[in-house]
Amino acid sequence: AQHHPEVDTGLHILLAVDYAAVHRYPLTVRFAVLTHDLGKALTPPRYLPKHHGHEHRSIELVEQLCERVRVPGECRDLAVLAARYHGDVHRAQELRPATVLKLLSAADVYRRPDRFEELLAACSCDFHGRSGLETRAYPQADWLRAAAAAARGVDAGGIAQKVSGDPGRIAAAIETARLDAVSEALAGMR
């Protein structure tokens, strides 16, 4: 009840999907919301009512479902991201900058900022799809948007020209610059 006042995963999913529909989110977001908690079904009874690790269990179930019913790739990709990272997104303000940077990279925020926004939308639906939380603020999204903007603001091309040579050194230098930018951005938000 502390995390889900409705104390029912099925009801929570319905509330979250309703929230997505009311906000007219696209099919990709609605599908991700529908499937993000599938791993809870595999929680051993001795651990209930907690569902530790359900995010990782959800990934395989989402992938199996998507293959079985031939879900479009865009829907599958976002559903897998939401299943794996919704807990991290909810705890964004508690994460270390390096963990935030890994989340941003996993969401491919550099090449696919639209998918990153859809991930944030799906996580917002998950958060708001709880009895009594429908209108509460969700600052995690703005927190991660600021981190994403900082990471995307790094001039990777300029760094590559300065470091030139070994691709491994270039990648490491870009990653370091992005981590510094994310760290600075998040420190400024505290």
Side-chain angles (χ1 to χ4, degrees):
Q2 175 187 358
H3 299 288
H4 287 284
E6 65 284 346
V7 194
D8 181 299
T9 301
L11 181 55
H12 160 61
I13 294 298
L14 291 175
L15 292 169
V17 170
D18 283 349
Y19 187 89
V22 165
H23 287 82
R24 301 185 187 280
Y25 288 127
L27 177 63
T28 50
V29 172
R30 294 180 197 202
F31 185 75
V33 171
L34 181 66
T35 60
H36 76 280
D37 275 343
L38 288 179
K40 286 184 175 181
L42 298 181
T43 300
R46 68 182 178 273
Y47 296 122
L48 295 174
K50 297 181 184 219
H51 295 279
H52 295 297
H54 78 278
E55 295 92 349
H56 292 286
R57 291 190 300 272
S58 293
I59 295 169
E60 186 175 341
L61 293 174
V62 168
E63 289 172 341
Q64 290 173 0
L65 173 67
C66 290
E67 185 161 329
R68 188 169 57 244
V69 297
R70 297 181 184 199
V71 170
E74 291 287 313
C75 289
R76 179 202 58 231
D77 293 347
L78 183 63
V80 169
L81 273 174
R84 167 57 186 91
Y85 290 103
H86 69 276
D88 290 343
V89 171
H90 294 327
R91 295 180 298 103
Q93 294 158 305
E94 302 167 21
L95 301 177
R96 295 179 327 217
T99 305
V100 170
L101 190 59
K102 286 179 186 174
L103 187 155
L104 297 175
S105 293
D108 198 8
V109 73
Y110 310 108
R111 294 182 307 147
R112 299 286 313 276
D114 55 322
R115 185 168 61 189
F116 178 68
E117 282 298 323
E118 288 184 344
L119 173 63
L120 295 179
C123 293
S124 173
C125 293
D126 177 34
F127 176 81
H128 290 107
R130 303 175 203 196
S131 302
L133 301 182
E134 300 88 352
T135 60
R136 283 187 67 191
Y138 191 64
Q140 295 90 325
D142 289 334
W143 183 266
L144 290 171
R145 281 185 190 106
R152 282 195 310 261
V154 168
D155 180 9
I159 292 170
Q161 286 179 342
K162 287 180 188 174
V163 174
S164 72
D166 178 24
R169 285 186 48 228
I170 294 170
I174 292 169
E175 187 77 4
T176 298
R178 287 177 174 161
L179 180 57
D180 290 346
V182 167
S183 297
E184 187 177 321
L186 296 181
M189 295 184 70
R190 293 200 190 274

